[in-house]
Amino acid sequence: MTQPDSYTPRTVLVTGGAGFIGSNFVRTAIEEQRFTGGIVVLDNLTYAGNLENLADLKDAFAFVHGDICDADLVRKTLEDHAVDTVVHFAAESHVDRSILGPLVFTRTNVLGTHVLLEASRQRDIGKFIHVSTDEVYGSLGPDGAFTENTPIAPTSPYSASKAASDLIVQAYAKTFGFPAVITRCSNNYGPFQFPEKLIPLMITNAVRDLPLPVYGDGLNVRDWIHTTDHTRAILAVLARGVPGEVYNIGGLNEWTNIDIVRLVLRLLGKPESLITHVKDRLAHDRRYAIDPSKIRADLGWEPLIAFEDGMRQTVDWYLARQEWWTRVMTGEYQDYYKKQYFSR
Ligand code: NAD
Ligand code: TYD
Protein backbone atom coordinates (compact mmCIF):
# COMPACT_ATOMS: atom_id res chain seq x y z
CA MET A 1 0.00 0.00 0.00
CA THR A 2 1.35 3.44 -0.92
CA GLN A 3 0.69 6.19 1.58
CA PRO A 4 -0.94 9.13 -0.26
CA ASP A 5 0.54 12.61 0.10
CA SER A 6 -1.03 14.88 2.67
CA TYR A 7 -3.00 17.94 1.51
CA THR A 8 -3.61 21.02 3.66
CA PRO A 9 -6.65 23.07 2.62
CA ARG A 10 -6.67 26.78 3.44
CA THR A 11 -9.98 28.34 2.37
CA VAL A 12 -12.74 25.85 1.70
CA LEU A 13 -15.92 26.40 -0.30
CA VAL A 14 -18.67 24.13 1.03
CA THR A 15 -21.63 23.92 -1.35
CA GLY A 16 -24.89 22.82 0.25
CA GLY A 17 -23.46 23.72 3.66
CA ALA A 18 -26.91 24.58 5.03
CA GLY A 19 -28.24 21.05 4.41
CA PHE A 20 -28.11 17.95 6.58
CA ILE A 21 -24.62 16.57 5.89
CA GLY A 22 -23.07 19.85 4.71
CA SER A 23 -23.95 21.61 7.97
CA ASN A 24 -22.50 18.70 9.97
CA PHE A 25 -19.28 19.04 7.96
CA VAL A 26 -19.14 22.84 8.53
CA ARG A 27 -19.83 22.42 12.25
CA THR A 28 -17.17 19.74 12.70
CA ALA A 29 -14.56 21.64 10.68
CA ILE A 30 -15.17 24.84 12.69
CA GLU A 31 -15.14 23.03 16.04
CA GLU A 32 -11.89 21.29 15.12
CA GLN A 33 -10.40 24.52 13.64
CA ARG A 34 -9.51 22.64 10.49
CA PHE A 35 -8.99 25.36 7.86
CA THR A 36 -6.69 28.33 8.47
CA GLY A 37 -8.35 30.46 5.76
CA GLY A 38 -11.89 29.66 6.89
CA ILE A 39 -15.06 28.33 5.29
CA VAL A 40 -17.38 29.81 2.68
CA VAL A 41 -20.84 28.22 2.39
CA LEU A 42 -22.61 28.52 -0.97
CA ASP A 43 -26.24 27.47 -0.74
CA ASN A 44 -29.45 28.65 -2.40
CA LEU A 45 -31.55 27.49 0.59
CA THR A 46 -34.04 25.14 -1.06
CA TYR A 47 -36.68 23.53 1.17
CA ALA A 48 -33.82 21.32 2.50
CA GLY A 49 -31.38 24.13 3.25
CA ASN A 50 -31.72 25.95 6.55
CA LEU A 51 -29.28 28.44 8.04
CA GLU A 52 -30.83 27.73 11.42
CA ASN A 53 -28.75 24.51 11.30
CA LEU A 54 -25.66 26.70 11.80
CA ALA A 55 -27.20 29.61 13.73
CA ASP A 56 -24.86 29.25 16.72
CA LEU A 57 -21.82 29.38 14.39
CA LYS A 58 -22.97 32.19 12.11
CA ASP A 59 -19.91 34.39 12.77
CA ALA A 60 -17.50 31.54 12.09
CA PHE A 61 -18.03 31.21 8.32
CA ALA A 62 -18.93 33.33 5.29
CA PHE A 63 -22.27 32.73 3.62
CA VAL A 64 -23.14 33.26 -0.05
CA HIS A 65 -26.80 32.83 -0.90
CA GLY A 66 -26.84 31.50 -4.44
CA ASP A 67 -27.22 28.74 -6.98
CA ILE A 68 -24.38 26.43 -8.08
CA CYS A 69 -25.83 26.65 -11.63
CA ASP A 70 -25.02 30.39 -11.72
CA ALA A 71 -21.58 30.40 -13.37
CA ASP A 72 -20.85 34.10 -12.75
CA LEU A 73 -21.73 33.83 -9.08
CA VAL A 74 -19.67 30.66 -8.62
CA ARG A 75 -16.64 32.25 -10.34
CA LYS A 76 -16.97 35.42 -8.27
CA THR A 77 -17.33 33.45 -5.02
CA LEU A 78 -14.16 31.44 -5.69
CA GLU A 79 -12.28 34.63 -6.55
CA ASP A 80 -13.60 37.00 -3.84
CA HIS A 81 -12.83 34.53 -1.08
CA ALA A 82 -9.56 33.17 -2.55
CA VAL A 83 -10.92 29.64 -2.31
CA ASP A 84 -8.33 26.87 -2.83
CA THR A 85 -10.47 23.83 -1.96
CA VAL A 86 -14.05 22.76 -2.74
CA VAL A 87 -16.23 20.25 -0.88
CA HIS A 88 -19.37 19.78 -2.95
CA PHE A 89 -22.50 18.64 -1.10
CA ALA A 90 -25.17 20.75 -2.85
CA ALA A 91 -27.77 18.54 -4.50
CA GLU A 92 -31.37 17.57 -4.73
CA SER A 93 -31.15 14.50 -2.53
CA HIS A 94 -34.50 12.73 -2.11
CA VAL A 95 -35.44 9.75 -4.31
CA ASP A 96 -39.22 10.17 -3.86
CA ARG A 97 -39.06 13.80 -4.98
CA SER A 98 -37.04 12.73 -8.02
CA ILE A 99 -39.95 10.47 -8.99
CA LEU A 100 -42.51 13.26 -8.51
CA GLY A 101 -40.42 15.92 -10.31
CA PRO A 102 -37.19 14.71 -11.94
CA LEU A 103 -35.98 17.71 -13.98
CA VAL A 104 -34.62 19.80 -11.11
CA PHE A 105 -32.39 16.83 -10.21
CA THR A 106 -30.66 16.99 -13.58
CA ARG A 107 -30.39 20.76 -13.36
CA THR A 108 -28.83 20.91 -9.89
CA ASN A 109 -26.94 17.64 -9.70
CA VAL A 110 -25.60 17.44 -13.26
CA LEU A 111 -25.50 21.00 -14.59
CA GLY A 112 -24.73 22.54 -11.18
CA THR A 113 -21.83 20.13 -10.60
CA HIS A 114 -20.48 20.83 -14.08
CA VAL A 115 -20.64 24.62 -13.60
CA LEU A 116 -18.82 24.29 -10.27
CA LEU A 117 -16.17 21.98 -11.76
CA GLU A 118 -15.47 24.26 -14.68
CA ALA A 119 -15.14 27.35 -12.49
CA SER A 120 -12.88 25.38 -10.13
CA ARG A 121 -10.68 24.14 -12.98
CA GLN A 122 -10.19 27.68 -14.24
CA ARG A 123 -9.03 28.79 -10.82
CA ASP A 124 -6.54 25.98 -10.26
CA ILE A 125 -8.32 24.65 -7.22
CA GLY A 126 -5.97 22.40 -5.18
CA LYS A 127 -8.53 19.73 -4.28
CA PHE A 128 -12.21 19.13 -5.08
CA ILE A 129 -14.25 16.58 -3.14
CA HIS A 130 -17.38 15.46 -4.98
CA VAL A 131 -19.77 14.00 -2.42
CA SER A 132 -21.67 11.22 -4.18
CA THR A 133 -23.70 8.25 -3.03
CA ASP A 134 -23.73 4.45 -3.05
CA GLU A 135 -27.04 4.69 -4.94
CA VAL A 136 -25.11 5.18 -8.20
CA TYR A 137 -24.29 1.45 -8.07
CA GLY A 138 -27.98 0.45 -8.28
CA SER A 139 -29.49 -2.45 -6.37
CA LEU A 140 -27.78 -5.51 -4.83
CA GLY A 141 -29.09 -9.05 -4.50
CA PRO A 142 -28.98 -10.77 -1.10
CA ASP A 143 -25.17 -11.18 -1.09
CA GLY A 144 -22.09 -9.08 -1.66
CA ALA A 145 -21.37 -5.36 -1.31
CA PHE A 146 -20.49 -2.40 -3.52
CA THR A 147 -16.78 -1.87 -4.12
CA GLU A 148 -15.29 1.06 -6.00
CA ASN A 149 -15.08 -1.25 -9.05
CA THR A 150 -18.79 -2.14 -9.08
CA PRO A 151 -20.22 -0.82 -12.36
CA ILE A 152 -22.57 2.10 -11.91
CA ALA A 153 -26.18 1.20 -12.71
CA PRO A 154 -28.53 3.80 -11.22
CA THR A 155 -32.28 3.24 -11.19
CA SER A 156 -33.95 6.46 -9.96
CA PRO A 157 -33.77 9.95 -11.48
CA TYR A 158 -31.90 10.96 -8.29
CA SER A 159 -29.24 8.26 -8.54
CA ALA A 160 -28.97 8.70 -12.32
CA SER A 161 -28.27 12.41 -11.86
CA LYS A 162 -25.61 11.66 -9.22
CA ALA A 163 -24.04 9.01 -11.51
CA ALA A 164 -23.99 11.49 -14.41
CA SER A 165 -22.23 14.05 -12.24
CA ASP A 166 -19.71 11.40 -11.10
CA LEU A 167 -18.86 10.68 -14.76
CA ILE A 168 -18.24 14.36 -15.50
CA VAL A 169 -16.01 14.61 -12.42
CA GLN A 170 -14.05 11.53 -13.54
CA ALA A 171 -13.70 12.97 -17.05
CA TYR A 172 -12.24 16.19 -15.59
CA ALA A 173 -9.77 14.20 -13.50
CA LYS A 174 -8.67 12.13 -16.53
CA THR A 175 -8.71 14.79 -19.24
CA PHE A 176 -7.39 17.80 -17.36
CA GLY A 177 -5.63 16.14 -14.43
CA PHE A 178 -8.13 18.07 -12.28
CA PRO A 179 -7.58 17.10 -8.59
CA ALA A 180 -11.05 15.74 -7.89
CA VAL A 181 -11.88 12.86 -5.56
CA ILE A 182 -15.28 11.16 -5.41
CA THR A 183 -16.81 9.76 -2.22
CA ARG A 184 -19.77 7.36 -2.26
CA CYS A 185 -21.39 6.96 1.13
CA SER A 186 -24.28 4.82 2.28
CA ASN A 187 -27.47 6.13 3.98
CA ASN A 188 -26.83 8.77 6.65
CA TYR A 189 -28.80 9.44 9.83
CA GLY A 190 -28.40 11.97 12.64
CA PRO A 191 -29.59 15.39 13.86
CA PHE A 192 -30.79 18.04 11.35
CA GLN A 193 -31.93 15.53 8.70
CA PHE A 194 -34.97 16.82 6.86
CA PRO A 195 -38.01 14.80 8.01
CA GLU A 196 -38.82 13.48 4.52
CA LYS A 197 -36.14 10.75 4.84
CA LEU A 198 -36.90 7.40 6.48
CA ILE A 199 -35.51 7.81 10.02
CA PRO A 200 -36.58 11.41 10.83
CA LEU A 201 -39.95 10.84 9.12
CA MET A 202 -40.62 7.81 11.31
CA ILE A 203 -39.45 9.62 14.47
CA THR A 204 -41.54 12.75 13.86
CA ASN A 205 -44.64 10.75 12.87
CA ALA A 206 -44.34 8.37 15.84
CA VAL A 207 -43.96 11.28 18.29
CA ARG A 208 -47.32 12.60 17.00
CA ASP A 209 -48.95 9.11 16.91
CA LEU A 210 -49.31 9.36 13.11
CA PRO A 211 -49.13 6.30 10.83
CA LEU A 212 -45.61 5.13 9.85
CA PRO A 213 -45.74 4.51 6.07
CA VAL A 214 -43.52 1.54 5.21
CA TYR A 215 -43.10 1.01 1.45
CA GLY A 216 -43.94 -2.48 0.15
CA ASP A 217 -42.94 -5.41 2.37
CA GLY A 218 -40.44 -3.32 4.39
CA LEU A 219 -37.66 -5.80 3.64
CA ASN A 220 -35.51 -3.46 1.56
CA VAL A 221 -32.08 -3.13 3.13
CA ARG A 222 -30.03 0.02 3.73
CA ASP A 223 -26.55 0.35 5.27
CA TRP A 224 -26.74 3.13 7.89
CA ILE A 225 -23.98 5.46 9.05
CA HIS A 226 -24.02 8.47 11.39
CA THR A 227 -23.49 11.75 9.56
CA THR A 228 -20.54 12.67 11.84
CA ASP A 229 -18.75 9.48 10.77
CA HIS A 230 -19.43 10.48 7.13
CA THR A 231 -17.97 13.95 7.83
CA ARG A 232 -14.87 12.39 9.38
CA ALA A 233 -14.45 10.22 6.29
CA ILE A 234 -14.64 13.29 4.01
CA LEU A 235 -12.03 15.05 6.17
CA ALA A 236 -9.76 12.01 5.75
CA VAL A 237 -10.30 12.04 1.98
CA LEU A 238 -9.59 15.77 1.90
CA ALA A 239 -6.28 15.26 3.70
CA ARG A 240 -5.06 12.01 2.16
CA GLY A 241 -7.38 10.90 -0.67
CA VAL A 242 -5.67 10.43 -4.02
CA PRO A 243 -6.93 12.71 -6.85
CA GLY A 244 -8.86 10.78 -9.49
CA GLU A 245 -9.84 8.04 -7.02
CA VAL A 246 -13.22 6.95 -5.67
CA TYR A 247 -13.69 6.08 -1.96
CA ASN A 248 -16.72 4.15 -0.71
CA ILE A 249 -17.83 5.06 2.82
CA GLY A 250 -19.92 2.78 5.01
CA GLY A 251 -20.14 1.32 8.48
CA LEU A 252 -21.03 -2.34 7.78
CA ASN A 253 -24.44 -1.74 9.32
CA GLU A 254 -27.25 -3.26 7.25
CA TRP A 255 -30.87 -3.07 8.40
CA THR A 256 -34.21 -3.84 6.80
CA ASN A 257 -36.55 -0.84 6.80
CA ILE A 258 -39.10 -2.62 8.98
CA ASP A 259 -36.46 -3.29 11.65
CA ILE A 260 -35.42 0.38 11.59
CA VAL A 261 -39.05 1.40 12.10
CA ARG A 262 -39.41 -1.07 14.98
CA LEU A 263 -36.24 0.30 16.57
CA VAL A 264 -37.58 3.86 16.36
CA LEU A 265 -40.84 2.73 17.99
CA ARG A 266 -38.94 0.93 20.76
CA LEU A 267 -36.74 3.97 21.48
CA LEU A 268 -39.85 6.16 21.69
CA GLY A 269 -41.98 3.67 23.62
CA LYS A 270 -44.66 3.70 20.90
CA PRO A 271 -46.77 0.74 19.69
CA GLU A 272 -46.10 -1.24 16.49
CA SER A 273 -49.76 -0.70 15.55
CA LEU A 274 -48.61 2.67 14.10
CA ILE A 275 -46.88 0.78 11.24
CA THR A 276 -48.81 0.98 7.95
CA HIS A 277 -47.66 -0.80 4.81
CA VAL A 278 -48.24 1.41 1.76
CA LYS A 279 -47.74 1.00 -1.98
CA ASP A 280 -44.10 0.42 -2.90
CA ARG A 281 -41.80 3.09 -4.34
CA LEU A 282 -41.34 2.80 -8.13
CA ALA A 283 -38.13 0.89 -9.05
CA HIS A 284 -37.38 0.56 -5.33
CA ASP A 285 -33.75 -0.61 -4.91
CA ARG A 286 -33.82 -3.78 -2.84
CA ARG A 287 -30.51 -3.64 -1.06
CA TYR A 288 -27.49 -1.36 -0.61
CA ALA A 289 -24.31 -2.41 1.18
CA ILE A 290 -20.88 -0.78 1.12
CA ASP A 291 -17.54 -2.55 1.21
CA PRO A 292 -15.40 0.09 3.00
CA SER A 293 -12.09 -1.85 2.75
CA LYS A 294 -10.34 0.76 0.59
CA ILE A 295 -10.91 3.82 2.80
CA ARG A 296 -10.09 1.78 5.89
CA ALA A 297 -6.84 0.39 4.50
CA ASP A 298 -5.60 3.40 2.53
CA LEU A 299 -6.73 6.30 4.72
CA GLY A 300 -7.05 4.65 8.13
CA TRP A 301 -10.66 5.84 8.55
CA GLU A 302 -13.26 3.88 10.47
CA PRO A 303 -16.66 4.78 11.93
CA LEU A 304 -16.74 5.60 15.65
CA ILE A 305 -20.45 5.83 16.48
CA ALA A 306 -22.20 2.57 17.41
CA PHE A 307 -25.63 2.44 15.74
CA GLU A 308 -27.75 2.02 18.89
CA ASP A 309 -25.92 4.98 20.54
CA GLY A 310 -26.29 7.13 17.42
CA MET A 311 -29.98 6.27 17.13
CA ARG A 312 -30.63 7.05 20.80
CA GLN A 313 -28.83 10.43 20.39
CA THR A 314 -30.80 11.15 17.18
CA VAL A 315 -34.18 10.30 18.71
CA ASP A 316 -33.33 12.47 21.74
CA TRP A 317 -32.34 15.33 19.42
CA TYR A 318 -35.69 15.22 17.56
CA LEU A 319 -37.53 15.06 20.89
CA ALA A 320 -35.65 18.13 22.15
CA ARG A 321 -35.86 20.09 18.89
CA GLN A 322 -39.55 19.81 18.05
CA GLU A 323 -39.64 23.54 17.15
CA TRP A 324 -36.95 22.91 14.47
CA TRP A 325 -38.84 20.17 12.69
CA THR A 326 -42.23 21.80 13.11
CA ARG A 327 -40.86 24.89 11.36
CA VAL A 328 -39.19 23.07 8.45
CA MET A 329 -42.34 21.02 7.91
CA THR A 330 -44.57 24.01 7.18
CA GLY A 331 -45.61 25.29 3.73
CA GLU A 332 -44.06 23.45 0.81
CA TYR A 333 -43.49 20.27 2.83
CA GLN A 334 -47.21 19.90 3.52
CA ASP A 335 -47.94 19.86 -0.24
CA TYR A 336 -45.18 17.30 -0.79
CA TYR A 337 -46.48 15.08 2.03
CA LYS A 338 -49.99 15.10 0.59
CA LYS A 339 -48.79 14.19 -2.92
CA GLN A 340 -46.42 11.51 -1.63
CA TYR A 341 -48.61 9.77 0.97
CA PHE A 342 -52.30 10.68 0.83
CA SER A 343 -53.19 8.79 -2.35
CA ARG A 344 -50.98 5.77 -1.66
P1 NAD B 1 -29.91 17.90 1.78
O1 NAD B 1 -31.02 17.77 0.80
O2 NAD B 1 -30.18 17.87 3.24
O3 NAD B 1 -29.10 19.26 1.51
C1 NAD B 1 -28.81 19.72 0.22
C2 NAD B 1 -28.32 21.16 0.35
O4 NAD B 1 -27.99 21.64 -0.97
C3 NAD B 1 -29.39 22.13 0.90
O5 NAD B 1 -28.81 23.01 1.83
C4 NAD B 1 -29.87 22.87 -0.33
O6 NAD B 1 -30.36 24.18 -0.05
C5 NAD B 1 -28.59 22.92 -1.17
N1 NAD B 1 -28.86 23.08 -2.60
C6 NAD B 1 -29.75 22.38 -3.36
N2 NAD B 1 -29.74 22.84 -4.62
C7 NAD B 1 -28.80 23.84 -4.67
C8 NAD B 1 -28.34 24.70 -5.70
N3 NAD B 1 -28.84 24.62 -6.95
N4 NAD B 1 -27.40 25.62 -5.41
C9 NAD B 1 -26.90 25.72 -4.13
N5 NAD B 1 -27.31 24.93 -3.11
C10 NAD B 1 -28.25 24.00 -3.39
O7 NAD B 1 -28.87 16.76 1.35
P2 NAD B 1 -27.90 15.88 2.27
O8 NAD B 1 -28.63 14.68 2.74
O9 NAD B 1 -27.19 16.76 3.22
O10 NAD B 1 -26.87 15.38 1.14
C11 NAD B 1 -25.71 16.13 0.84
C12 NAD B 1 -24.94 15.42 -0.26
O11 NAD B 1 -24.58 14.11 0.17
C13 NAD B 1 -25.74 15.22 -1.55
O12 NAD B 1 -24.89 15.45 -2.64
C14 NAD B 1 -26.18 13.77 -1.51
O13 NAD B 1 -26.31 13.24 -2.80
C15 NAD B 1 -25.02 13.14 -0.76
N6 NAD B 1 -25.35 11.93 0.03
C16 NAD B 1 -26.40 11.93 0.90
C17 NAD B 1 -26.66 10.80 1.65
C18 NAD B 1 -27.79 10.75 2.66
O14 NAD B 1 -28.08 9.69 3.21
N7 NAD B 1 -28.45 11.86 2.96
C19 NAD B 1 -25.86 9.65 1.51
C20 NAD B 1 -24.79 9.69 0.61
C21 NAD B 1 -24.54 10.84 -0.12
P1 TYD C 1 -34.79 7.19 2.17
O1 TYD C 1 -34.53 7.72 3.54
O2 TYD C 1 -35.66 7.99 1.25
O3 TYD C 1 -33.36 6.92 1.52
P2 TYD C 1 -32.98 6.17 0.12
O4 TYD C 1 -34.19 5.90 -0.65
O5 TYD C 1 -32.14 7.22 -0.54
O6 TYD C 1 -32.23 4.96 0.52
O7 TYD C 1 -35.43 5.76 2.29
C1 TYD C 1 -34.75 4.70 2.97
C2 TYD C 1 -35.56 3.45 2.78
O8 TYD C 1 -36.81 3.60 3.47
C3 TYD C 1 -35.91 3.16 1.34
O9 TYD C 1 -35.87 1.74 1.13
C4 TYD C 1 -37.33 3.64 1.19
C5 TYD C 1 -37.93 3.42 2.59
N1 TYD C 1 -38.97 4.39 2.98
C6 TYD C 1 -40.21 3.93 3.45
O10 TYD C 1 -40.45 2.71 3.55
N2 TYD C 1 -41.14 4.84 3.84
C7 TYD C 1 -40.94 6.18 3.76
O11 TYD C 1 -41.87 6.98 4.07
C8 TYD C 1 -39.67 6.65 3.28
C9 TYD C 1 -39.38 8.12 3.17
C10 TYD C 1 -38.71 5.71 2.92
Side-chain angles (χ1 to χ4, degrees):
M1 181 195 82
T2 49
Q3 188 59 38
D5 290 345
S6 186
Y7 174 79
T8 307
R10 283 192 311 277
T11 306
V12 180
L13 178 72
V14 180
T15 70
F20 164 50
I21 306 172
S23 65
N24 182 286
F25 179 86
V26 170
R27 174 173 299 281
T28 304
I30 290 171
E31 283 169 2
E32 296 182 1
Q33 300 184 320
R34 287 280 181 154
F35 312 128
T36 50
I39 293 177
V40 184
V41 169
L42 171 62
D43 198 302
N44 70 344
L45 302 180
T46 66
Y47 77 93
N50 187 355
L51 276 180
E52 208 183 320
N53 299 358
L54 293 168
D56 54 321
L57 298 172
K58 70 178 186 325
D59 299 326
F61 65 94
F63 179 65
V64 178
H65 185 190
D67 188 337
I68 54 167
C69 299
D70 180 344
D72 290 339
L73 176 82
V74 171
R75 252 196 314 271
K76 189 168 162 9
T77 303
L78 294 176
E79 211 170 286
D80 288 355
H81 295 270
V83 168
D84 61 37
T85 305
V86 176
V87 183
H88 175 36
F89 293 96
E92 289 293 335
S93 67
H94 189 37
V95 172
D96 291 321
R97 284 186 191 253
S98 82
I99 295 168
L100 290 173
L103 269 183
V104 68
F105 283 73
T106 300
R107 182 184 181 277
T108 296
N109 299 358
V110 186
L111 180 63
T113 299
H114 200 165
V115 165
L116 187 67
L117 266 177
E118 183 56 16
S120 302
R121 177 172 81 93
Q122 286 177 6
R123 261 200 67 84
D124 280 337
I125 286 298
K127 204 156 186 180
F128 184 109
I129 309 296
H130 176 61
V131 180
S132 190
T133 165
D134 63 350
E135 301 192 28
V136 299
Y137 296 120
S139 187
L140 284 168
D143 304 313
F146 300 130
T147 74
E148 290 78 1
N149 296 322
T150 302
I152 55 175
T155 59
S156 73
Y158 163 64
S159 54
S161 68
K162 292 296 289 188
S165 67
D166 285 17
L167 292 179
I168 299 171
V169 172
Q170 283 177 329
Y172 267 57
K174 285 208 177 79
T175 307
F176 305 116
F178 182 72
V181 190
I182 296 175
T183 60
R184 293 183 179 145
C185 189
S186 60
N187 286 64
N188 284 219
Y189 72 98
F192 294 110
Q193 187 167 29
F194 196 83
E196 65 188 355
K197 304 274 169 62
L198 178 73
I199 289 177
L201 186 133
M202 296 302 161
I203 296 171
T204 54
N205 276 16
V207 165
R208 294 173 294 162
D209 297 311
L210 295 175
L212 307 190
V214 172
Y215 299 163
D217 61 10
L219 296 178
N220 300 65
V221 172
R222 297 293 183 263
D223 187 353
W224 293 96
I225 185 170
H226 194 282
T227 184
T228 299
D229 279 329
H230 184 186
T231 282
R232 289 180 39 262
I234 293 171
L235 286 167
V237 171
L238 194 50
R240 299 186 301 285
V242 178
E245 291 289 308
V246 174
Y247 293 89
N248 283 355
I249 303 166
L252 300 171
N253 182 41
E254 291 181 52
W255 286 70
T256 60
N257 293 338
I258 192 73
D259 283 345
I260 289 284
V261 174
R262 288 196 186 112
L263 173 63
V264 166
L265 289 170
R266 182 160 60 74
L267 289 170
L268 285 168
K270 295 285 184 175
E272 293 199 2
S273 55
L274 288 174
I275 295 173
T276 318
H277 286 267
V278 300
K279 195 164 148 251
D280 210 352
R281 175 187 276 174
L282 298 178
H284 192 177
D285 289 339
R286 192 63 171 167
R287 177 171 165 261
Y288 301 145
I290 282 278
D291 176 348
S293 310
K294 178 175 171 178
I295 190 168
R296 282 179 174 232
D298 290 5
L299 307 187
W301 169 88
E302 52 183 288
L304 298 179
I305 302 175
F307 189 57
E308 286 259 350
D309 297 344
M311 279 296 287
R312 161 55 61 202
Q313 175 234 22
T314 302
V315 165
D316 287 348
W317 187 88
Y318 280 88
L319 284 172
R321 296 294 297 271
Q322 191 144 357
E323 90 295 341
W324 179 89
W325 51 266
T326 311
R327 230 181 344 265
V328 302
M329 282 160 64
T330 54
E332 187 272 351
Y333 183 71
Q334 297 301 324
D335 295 339
Y336 163 76
Y337 200 87
K338 269 188 218 132
K339 270 195 215 132
Q340 178 63 18
Y341 294 101
F342 282 16
S343 57
R344 247 187 148 97

